[in-house]
Amino acid sequence: ERTRRDLGLIAGEEVQIIITGAVRTREDNARLATRLGWADEGGLVSRRSRHLAEFGGIAADLVARVARTGERVPRKTLGRVCRRHFDYVNDTYADGHVHADCRGVL
């Protein structure tokens, strides 16, 4: 909610945050890795993903849009704001989503 509020202040209007990924089972993680590859082999999916329930499912993949127009908030802007509220943020994904988690609380 704080991330959404801060983005709204930047945009000057309401912003929506869409969660595109959250808690995963090991099976979900493996299926995703089949498509995107394991990070330790050059892919995008970590074998020890913070999305996994065993790590508390503390990660979320996010995109943000301006509510009125549907215009997507640039991932670098979303990433910058997420860094105010999350311990770890990755805003380098080509599809434009931002990964954010609170791994410092474990």
Side-chain angles (χ1 to χ4, degrees):
E1 186 59 30
R2 290 180 298 211
T3 299
R4 191 185 71 78
R5 177 202 63 213
D6 289 356
L7 287 168
L9 291 172
I10 291 168
E13 57 187 304
E14 184 181 356
V15 170
Q16 301 167 331
I17 300 226
I18 299 99
I19 299 169
T20 61
V23 179
R24 296 180 196 150
T25 64
R26 281 247 166 234
E27 293 77 19
D28 293 333
N29 213 44
R31 271 192 298 278
L32 194 56
T34 298
R35 207 168 32 113
L36 301 174
W38 293 112
D40 59 350
E41 298 172 357
L44 298 175
V45 181
S46 172
R47 294 177 197 272
R48 297 179 47 81
S49 171
R50 295 308 190 256
H51 288 280
L52 292 168
E54 68 193 69
F55 294 109
I58 59 170
D61 294 333
L62 313 168
V63 295
R65 298 188 190 286
V66 175
R68 182 178 53 80
T69 65
E71 180 182 348
R72 198 155 171 175
V73 173
R75 74 171 184 236
K76 291 298 182 181
T77 302
L78 176 56
R80 186 177 74 248
V81 173
C82 281
R83 284 183 180 85
R84 298 176 188 171
H85 307 293
F86 295 90
D87 299 326
Y88 177 82
V89 174
N90 183 345
D91 61 3
T92 63
Y93 294 102
D95 69 356
H97 84 273
V98 171
H99 169 99
D101 69 52
C102 292
R103 61 187 64 191
V105 299
L106 293 179

